[in-house]
Amino acid sequence: MKRQSPLFMGIIYAGLGALFTAIAIQTVNSSGWGLFAYILVLIATLDFGSGLRMIMLHFKIKSAQKNKKK
């Protein structure tokens, strides 16, 4: 199994965060702030955080590789 780059995984996590945010918005509009809406918001927050960390890791690795070549 080929390892995916942190940038790709970060984009996937950010996309999942956006998806869970959209589902949470629809849930709140239809039935208000219930337990399910809070769970969706929590999952979206964790996904956005993970995505941001993965994207920052990608740029940190690229910077380290660039400095290593010099």
Side-chain angles (χ1 to χ4, degrees):
M1 185 171 147
K2 183 181 174 190
R3 287 189 61 172
Q4 298 296 329
S5 73
L7 180 62
F8 177 74
M9 293 305 295
I11 291 170
I12 294 295
Y13 277 122
L16 285 172
L19 176 69
F20 284 121
T21 300
I23 294 170
I25 290 170
Q26 289 178 346
T27 302
V28 170
N29 284 337
S30 66
S31 61
W33 283 98
L35 179 63
F36 186 61
Y38 284 113
I39 291 171
L40 287 172
V41 169
L42 176 69
I43 292 170
T45 302
L46 294 174
D47 280 341
F48 276 127
S50 296
L52 184 60
R53 287 181 64 185
M54 289 285 196
I55 292 170
M56 290 183 347
L57 176 65
H58 168 78
F59 288 114
K60 192 176 286 189
I61 290 171
K62 290 295 183 185
S63 176
Q65 287 175 346
K66 184 182 281 187
N67 289 337
K68 191 175 182 180
K69 287 182 181 180
K70 288 183 179 182

